[in-house]
Every structure is written in C-alpha cells, then in structure tokens.
Amino acid sequence: MSEHTSEHRQKSGFETRAIHAGYEPDPMTGAVIPPIYATSTYKQDGVGGMRGGYEYSRSANPTRTALEGNIAALEEGERGFAFASGLAAEHTLLNALCGPHDHVVVPDDAYGGTYRLFAKVESRWGLTHTAAPVSDVDAIRAAIEPGETKIVWMETPTNPLLNIGDIEAVAAVAHEAGALLVVDNTFASPYLQRPLTLGADVVVHSTTKYCGGHSDVVGGALVVRDLAVAERIAFHQNSIGAVAGPFDAWLTLRGLKTLGVRMDRHCDNAEKVVEFLSGHEAVEEVIYPGLESHPGHEVASRQMKRYGGIVSFRVKGGEARALEVCDRAEVFTLGESLGGVESLIEHPGRMTHASVAGTDLEVSPDLIRLSVGIETVDDLLADLDRALGS
Ligand SMILES: Cc1ncc(COP(=O)(O)O)c(C=O)c1O
C-alpha cells in the first residue's frame, strides 16, 4: 500500500476501512479480494531472501495478514493478530502478558469458556484470579492485588445478562495499579464500541460471532495499541502456533466487510423485539442495555454507538415454560453461539451456562437469550408470539 493510500485509509470512515483496510488489489493480477494463500512455505530468493517477509505460514500468511490489518484498522489499534478461535487468542494473550504467581481480575459473569481458562487451565500454571462484577468499579479496584495484578479483564456487554462495564473508568483503575486493561469486545463488535479509544490496552474477539457474522467459521483476534505489547504477542502467536488458517482468515475478512450494515440491522431488529417482548403478557422481564430501566444504560449510551443484537428475557411460569418457548420457536433456531445473520434462541441455564450451575454465576432458570438476526423482523415477532403461546 502506498504511503498516501495508507494514510488516506486510516482517516476514512468505518465502512470504508471495513471494505479496504489491510489489503490493496494484488499488483500482479489486480485481484480485488485477497486470495486464499493455501501454502505452508515460500520460495526464498537465496538463503534468507524472503519476499515480503513470508517464510512459513505459522509465522505469517498473506491472507491472515490482510485480516490482521483489517481488524486492527476497525478497532483503531496499531496491530492485529488472528487466531484459530477466541479461546486460542485469549490463551496466547495470557501466556504473553502473565507468568506464574501473577494475578488477573476477571468479570464474575465472564463467558464460561473464558472463566474455565482461568479457573481450570491457567491456575494449574500458577496464574491466580479474582472475580468482580464488571459494572462495579470499586469492586474491581478492591480485587486488584497491588504489584501482582497484571491484567484487568472485562467483557461489556456480558453474556447472557448484558451487564455493562465503564471502559474508561476501569482503564483508569487498572493503569493506576500498573495493570493492563483487556476488553473482550465480542458482543459489541468494533462497529458499536472501540475500547482502545477509551483507554483499553488490548481488545479480544471471538471473531466466530459478529466479526465473521455468518456462523461458518470459528476464529479469534487480538488488537493492541502499544507496539511493545504487540511484539510480545507476535512472539507468542508464532511460538504457540494457534493461528487462523488462510481459509478461515478469508471467511472472517469477508464477514468484516459487511459488519456495519449487519450490525445496524441486528440493532434495528433487536430494538423491535425488545419493544414487542416488553409489552407481552407472558414475559416477566426484558434485559437490554438500550432500555432506560437497564442499570448500565447510561454508560452503554456513552461508550456504544447502539446497543447490539443480543436480547435476554425472563418468562412467567419458570423453567418449564422457558424450555417450552425455546422448543416452539421456529425462525429462531435453537442453538448455542450468537452473532450470525440467523436468529438463535437458547436457554442459558441448560445450555451455554450449564457449567456454572450451583455457583455464584448460576443464571435464572426462566431466562432465555436471543441472538437477533437480520431476517424480516415481522417474521421474528410472529415467531416469538407463537412460541410464547399467543
Ligand atoms: C464473549 C466471548 N468471548 C470469547 C468466546 C470464545 O470464543 P471461541 O468460541 O471462538 O473460542 C466466546 C464464545 O462464545 C464469547 O462469547
């Protein structure tokens, strides 16, 4: 990319960056879309004479490079890194930034897989953690162990209760203690929220969700703003090797190009679903950060462009009724995961959050989580109405 083009692109709008950042049409063929470089190795022009720095595809692959440049531009970071899954990204990050006897503060309602990584994997290597509510800055400050805490980890909004953490305030608390702030931005996506511009040091993504957006690829990403942190991650990305393959990187990059339009439709549809559920007699409570009654509404309004495509709600009649609603939905497919173009419905107590039953993280048995897709909204509302038993 010429310097002029690169500077121009950095200053351009989100959708322009989503479509163009990270890749210039191939100089030889003019290919507008990066090819899937299905190659493990690269011919050298004499020993050490690498073309563009490519030597072996664990270290770097041009399709992955395009994705990494693109997601870095979307998050307004300095460098991006693409991994085989969100958890692979998280594991690499923890290895890069922490050692034995270090300490991490984690949200008390973190994604279960993230919590399991801390509680059952990293703990075996001496990394300790304390859980604190993401919406309570004082509790996060109190959980920090001065000198030992290397990372304050947050998700906002959280899964499935959609709690909101104040990124700017938590960044100040983390930095005061000499720790880095890591924000899992999976639920919001960079279209709705850019944590690095609010003081976070590292952004984590399960690109499996909104970034990929089509439920056809599992992937993860890290984006950083500090080049010294980037160097540590780059070293560990190559040393651990849990990288995104070229086809996965290509699918994720294709998804990112339409992130803005998809997110707007996810939000439009979610708002209509929230309005519908809020007036429904079979519904006990609707949880959505866009509602003024949501305790995180004010912070979410400050740091998010809109409120996202995930809606949680509690039904009247307890668990049996919630399970029935999940079973009766048809356009909303019963399944785990989220962030794809298709609407999904799930029962967190029995599905995504079954592993935290009996702990402080246990969710209410009458809770249902929706990942509102981009189908015709009237079909979504009719489906929910039918499922709720009208
Ligand atoms: C918020 C969040 N972070 C991280 C992950 C882990 O990502 P992956 O499933 O791509 O490993 C998930 C997966 O559901 C998630 O929801």
Side-chain angles (χ1 to χ4, degrees), residues 19 36 45 51-52 66 70-71 80 104 122 124-125 157 159 176 178 208 260 360 363 369 372 384:
I19 292 166
I36 300 167
D45 299 322
R51 303 182 194 179
N70 188 272
I71 198 158
V104 179
E122 298 295 339
R124 293 181 52 234
W125 302 92
N159 176 11
E176 228 168 75
T208 314
D360 291 348
V363 292
R369 187 189 76 187
V372 180
L384 287 173

mmCIF file of all heavy atoms in Angstrom, residues 19 36 45 51-52 66 70-71 80 104 122 124-125 157 159 176 178 208 260 360 363 369 372 384:
data_model
loop_
_atom_site.group_PDB
_atom_site.id
_atom_site.type_symbol
_atom_site.label_atom_id
_atom_site.label_comp_id
_atom_site.label_asym_id
_atom_site.label_seq_id
_atom_site.Cartn_x
_atom_site.Cartn_y
_atom_site.Cartn_z
ATOM 1 N N ILE A 19 -14.069 -2.348 4.310
ATOM 2 C CA ILE A 19 -14.003 -2.917 2.961
ATOM 3 C C ILE A 19 -12.576 -2.887 2.394
ATOM 4 O O ILE A 19 -12.181 -3.784 1.654
ATOM 5 C CB ILE A 19 -15.011 -2.192 2.044
ATOM 6 C CG1 ILE A 19 -16.433 -2.551 2.505
ATOM 7 C CG2 ILE A 19 -14.808 -2.548 0.569
ATOM 8 C CD1 ILE A 19 -17.523 -1.679 1.952
ATOM 9 N N ILE A 36 -6.895 -16.845 -1.200
ATOM 10 C CA ILE A 36 -6.665 -17.742 -0.066
ATOM 11 C C ILE A 36 -5.291 -18.372 -0.322
ATOM 12 O O ILE A 36 -5.148 -19.235 -1.195
ATOM 13 C CB ILE A 36 -7.758 -18.832 0.003
ATOM 14 C CG1 ILE A 36 -9.127 -18.176 0.157
ATOM 15 C CG2 ILE A 36 -7.477 -19.805 1.143
ATOM 16 C CD1 ILE A 36 -10.298 -19.109 -0.072
ATOM 17 N N ASP A 45 14.559 -16.145 -2.301
ATOM 18 C CA ASP A 45 15.471 -15.733 -3.372
ATOM 19 C C ASP A 45 16.892 -15.754 -2.819
ATOM 20 O O ASP A 45 17.461 -14.713 -2.480
ATOM 21 C CB ASP A 45 15.091 -14.347 -3.875
ATOM 22 C CG ASP A 45 13.679 -14.331 -4.451
ATOM 23 O OD1 ASP A 45 13.301 -15.319 -5.114
ATOM 24 O OD2 ASP A 45 12.941 -13.370 -4.199
ATOM 25 N N ARG A 51 10.433 -12.868 0.298
ATOM 26 C CA ARG A 51 9.624 -11.882 -0.414
ATOM 27 C C ARG A 51 8.538 -11.376 0.524
ATOM 28 O O ARG A 51 7.641 -12.138 0.900
ATOM 29 C CB ARG A 51 8.981 -12.510 -1.645
ATOM 30 C CG ARG A 51 10.005 -13.101 -2.592
ATOM 31 C CD ARG A 51 9.339 -13.669 -3.817
ATOM 32 N NE ARG A 51 10.277 -14.511 -4.549
ATOM 33 C CZ ARG A 51 9.970 -15.156 -5.665
ATOM 34 N NH1 ARG A 51 8.752 -15.077 -6.166
ATOM 35 N NH2 ARG A 51 10.879 -15.877 -6.282
ATOM 36 N N GLY A 52 8.630 -10.140 0.916
ATOM 37 C CA GLY A 52 7.616 -9.537 1.800
ATOM 38 C C GLY A 52 7.660 -10.104 3.199
ATOM 39 O O GLY A 52 6.691 -9.972 3.959
ATOM 40 N N ALA A 66 -3.864 -9.861 5.772
ATOM 41 C CA ALA A 66 -4.940 -8.951 5.349
ATOM 42 C C ALA A 66 -5.989 -8.831 6.447
ATOM 43 O O ALA A 66 -6.438 -7.732 6.791
ATOM 44 C CB ALA A 66 -5.565 -9.469 4.052
ATOM 45 N N ASN A 70 -6.913 -5.520 8.703
ATOM 46 C CA ASN A 70 -8.288 -5.029 8.656
ATOM 47 C C ASN A 70 -8.857 -4.855 10.057
ATOM 48 O O ASN A 70 -9.400 -3.786 10.398
ATOM 49 C CB ASN A 70 -9.134 -6.007 7.826
ATOM 50 C CG ASN A 70 -10.521 -5.473 7.579
ATOM 51 O OD1 ASN A 70 -11.418 -5.692 8.386
ATOM 52 N ND2 ASN A 70 -10.714 -4.758 6.489
ATOM 53 N N ILE A 71 -8.722 -5.860 10.886
ATOM 54 C CA ILE A 71 -9.347 -5.770 12.217
ATOM 55 C C ILE A 71 -8.625 -4.731 13.082
ATOM 56 O O ILE A 71 -9.253 -4.035 13.884
ATOM 57 C CB ILE A 71 -9.475 -7.162 12.891
ATOM 58 C CG1 ILE A 71 -10.502 -7.067 14.021
ATOM 59 C CG2 ILE A 71 -8.165 -7.724 13.357
ATOM 60 C CD1 ILE A 71 -11.115 -8.369 14.436
ATOM 61 N N GLY A 80 -2.990 -6.070 14.701
ATOM 62 C CA GLY A 80 -3.966 -7.116 14.961
ATOM 63 C C GLY A 80 -3.325 -8.486 14.777
ATOM 64 O O GLY A 80 -2.324 -8.632 14.066
ATOM 65 N N VAL A 104 -4.920 -11.901 37.945
ATOM 66 C CA VAL A 104 -5.808 -11.267 36.970
ATOM 67 C C VAL A 104 -7.160 -11.028 37.635
ATOM 68 O O VAL A 104 -7.632 -11.879 38.398
ATOM 69 C CB VAL A 104 -5.993 -12.196 35.740
ATOM 70 C CG1 VAL A 104 -6.926 -11.581 34.714
ATOM 71 C CG2 VAL A 104 -4.650 -12.500 35.095
ATOM 72 N N GLU A 122 -5.175 -22.042 33.371
ATOM 73 C CA GLU A 122 -4.083 -21.147 33.777
ATOM 74 C C GLU A 122 -3.737 -21.320 35.258
ATOM 75 O O GLU A 122 -2.584 -21.150 35.649
ATOM 76 C CB GLU A 122 -4.455 -19.688 33.480
ATOM 77 C CG GLU A 122 -4.684 -19.396 32.007
ATOM 78 C CD GLU A 122 -3.450 -19.558 31.141
ATOM 79 O OE1 GLU A 122 -2.320 -19.505 31.673
ATOM 80 O OE2 GLU A 122 -3.623 -19.761 29.916
ATOM 81 N N ARG A 124 -3.465 -23.910 36.913
ATOM 82 C CA ARG A 124 -2.515 -25.028 37.082
ATOM 83 C C ARG A 124 -1.083 -24.568 36.862
ATOM 84 O O ARG A 124 -0.133 -25.231 37.252
ATOM 85 C CB ARG A 124 -2.847 -26.161 36.120
ATOM 86 C CG ARG A 124 -4.195 -26.831 36.455
ATOM 87 C CD ARG A 124 -4.495 -27.975 35.505
ATOM 88 N NE ARG A 124 -3.412 -28.925 35.418
ATOM 89 C CZ ARG A 124 -2.839 -29.305 34.281
ATOM 90 N NH1 ARG A 124 -3.276 -28.828 33.128
ATOM 91 N NH2 ARG A 124 -1.846 -30.167 34.284
ATOM 92 N N TRP A 125 -0.921 -23.418 36.184
ATOM 93 C CA TRP A 125 0.421 -22.889 35.921
ATOM 94 C C TRP A 125 0.731 -21.703 36.837
ATOM 95 O O TRP A 125 1.669 -20.956 36.593
ATOM 96 C CB TRP A 125 0.545 -22.486 34.437
ATOM 97 C CG TRP A 125 0.272 -23.671 33.564
ATOM 98 C CD1 TRP A 125 -0.922 -24.039 33.040
ATOM 99 C CD2 TRP A 125 1.198 -24.680 33.180
ATOM 100 N NE1 TRP A 125 -0.804 -25.213 32.343
ATOM 101 C CE2 TRP A 125 0.494 -25.627 32.401
ATOM 102 C CE3 TRP A 125 2.563 -24.876 33.405
ATOM 103 C CZ2 TRP A 125 1.109 -26.757 31.865
ATOM 104 C CZ3 TRP A 125 3.173 -25.997 32.858
ATOM 105 C CH2 TRP A 125 2.443 -26.922 32.104
ATOM 106 N N PRO A 157 -21.003 -5.592 26.522
ATOM 107 C CA PRO A 157 -21.925 -6.217 27.468
ATOM 108 C C PRO A 157 -21.524 -7.666 27.746
ATOM 109 O O PRO A 157 -20.883 -8.306 26.922
ATOM 110 C CB PRO A 157 -23.273 -6.175 26.730
ATOM 111 C CG PRO A 157 -23.111 -5.245 25.578
ATOM 112 C CD PRO A 157 -21.663 -5.257 25.229
ATOM 113 N N ASN A 159 -22.391 -11.761 28.938
ATOM 114 C CA ASN A 159 -23.207 -12.845 28.415
ATOM 115 C C ASN A 159 -23.720 -13.711 29.572
ATOM 116 O O ASN A 159 -22.882 -14.231 30.313
ATOM 117 C CB ASN A 159 -22.303 -13.679 27.493
ATOM 118 C CG ASN A 159 -22.954 -14.893 26.935
ATOM 119 O OD1 ASN A 159 -24.148 -15.071 27.038
ATOM 120 N ND2 ASN A 159 -22.143 -15.750 26.341
ATOM 121 N N GLU A 176 -3.709 2.804 37.125
ATOM 122 C CA GLU A 176 -3.247 3.269 38.444
ATOM 123 C C GLU A 176 -2.444 2.175 39.153
ATOM 124 O O GLU A 176 -1.471 2.446 39.846
ATOM 125 C CB GLU A 176 -4.488 3.522 39.299
ATOM 126 C CG GLU A 176 -4.586 4.824 40.051
ATOM 127 C CD GLU A 176 -6.019 4.943 40.567
ATOM 128 O OE1 GLU A 176 -6.339 4.241 41.552
ATOM 129 O OE2 GLU A 176 -6.816 5.689 39.951
ATOM 130 N N GLY A 178 -0.830 -0.224 37.654
ATOM 131 C CA GLY A 178 0.221 -0.762 36.786
ATOM 132 C C GLY A 178 -0.208 -1.997 36.009
ATOM 133 O O GLY A 178 0.627 -2.758 35.522
ATOM 134 N N THR A 208 -15.677 -15.594 15.685
ATOM 135 C CA THR A 208 -16.738 -16.559 15.388
ATOM 136 C C THR A 208 -18.107 -15.870 15.361
ATOM 137 O O THR A 208 -19.026 -16.329 14.674
ATOM 138 C CB THR A 208 -16.775 -17.612 16.525
ATOM 139 O OG1 THR A 208 -15.442 -18.035 16.818
ATOM 140 C CG2 THR A 208 -17.637 -18.791 16.175
ATOM 141 N N GLY A 260 -20.721 -3.322 9.421
ATOM 142 C CA GLY A 260 -21.520 -2.139 9.743
ATOM 143 C C GLY A 260 -22.985 -2.314 9.358
ATOM 144 O O GLY A 260 -23.888 -2.080 10.177
ATOM 145 N N ASP A 360 -21.962 -19.007 42.036
ATOM 146 C CA ASP A 360 -22.489 -17.639 42.080
ATOM 147 C C ASP A 360 -22.874 -17.146 40.689
ATOM 148 O O ASP A 360 -23.585 -16.156 40.539
ATOM 149 C CB ASP A 360 -21.425 -16.675 42.643
ATOM 150 C CG ASP A 360 -21.185 -16.936 44.115
ATOM 151 O OD1 ASP A 360 -21.990 -17.674 44.710
ATOM 152 O OD2 ASP A 360 -20.190 -16.414 44.647
ATOM 153 N N VAL A 363 -27.451 -18.790 36.385
ATOM 154 C CA VAL A 363 -28.452 -17.856 35.860
ATOM 155 C C VAL A 363 -29.858 -18.365 36.173
ATOM 156 O O VAL A 363 -30.072 -19.557 36.415
ATOM 157 C CB VAL A 363 -28.297 -17.663 34.327
ATOM 158 C CG1 VAL A 363 -27.006 -16.927 34.004
ATOM 159 C CG2 VAL A 363 -28.388 -18.980 33.584
ATOM 160 N N ARG A 369 -32.111 -16.462 26.108
ATOM 161 C CA ARG A 369 -31.268 -15.498 25.393
ATOM 162 C C ARG A 369 -31.549 -15.591 23.899
ATOM 163 O O ARG A 369 -31.597 -16.688 23.337
ATOM 164 C CB ARG A 369 -29.784 -15.791 25.650
ATOM 165 C CG ARG A 369 -28.865 -14.719 25.056
ATOM 166 C CD ARG A 369 -27.397 -15.115 25.108
ATOM 167 N NE ARG A 369 -27.084 -16.105 24.084
ATOM 168 C CZ ARG A 369 -25.908 -16.743 23.983
ATOM 169 N NH1 ARG A 369 -24.959 -16.515 24.852
ATOM 170 N NH2 ARG A 369 -25.708 -17.631 23.018
ATOM 171 N N VAL A 372 -30.527 -11.909 18.007
ATOM 172 C CA VAL A 372 -31.496 -11.468 16.995
ATOM 173 C C VAL A 372 -30.778 -11.284 15.663
ATOM 174 O O VAL A 372 -29.825 -10.498 15.553
ATOM 175 C CB VAL A 372 -32.185 -10.157 17.434
ATOM 176 C CG1 VAL A 372 -33.196 -9.716 16.380
ATOM 177 C CG2 VAL A 372 -32.858 -10.330 18.789
ATOM 178 N N LEU A 384 -41.897 -15.289 17.755
ATOM 179 C CA LEU A 384 -41.847 -15.166 19.220
ATOM 180 C C LEU A 384 -43.254 -15.207 19.800
ATOM 181 O O LEU A 384 -43.492 -15.831 20.838
ATOM 182 C CB LEU A 384 -41.153 -13.852 19.614
ATOM 183 C CG LEU A 384 -39.637 -13.839 19.396
ATOM 184 C CD1 LEU A 384 -39.079 -12.433 19.644
ATOM 185 C CD2 LEU A 384 -38.940 -14.848 20.313
#
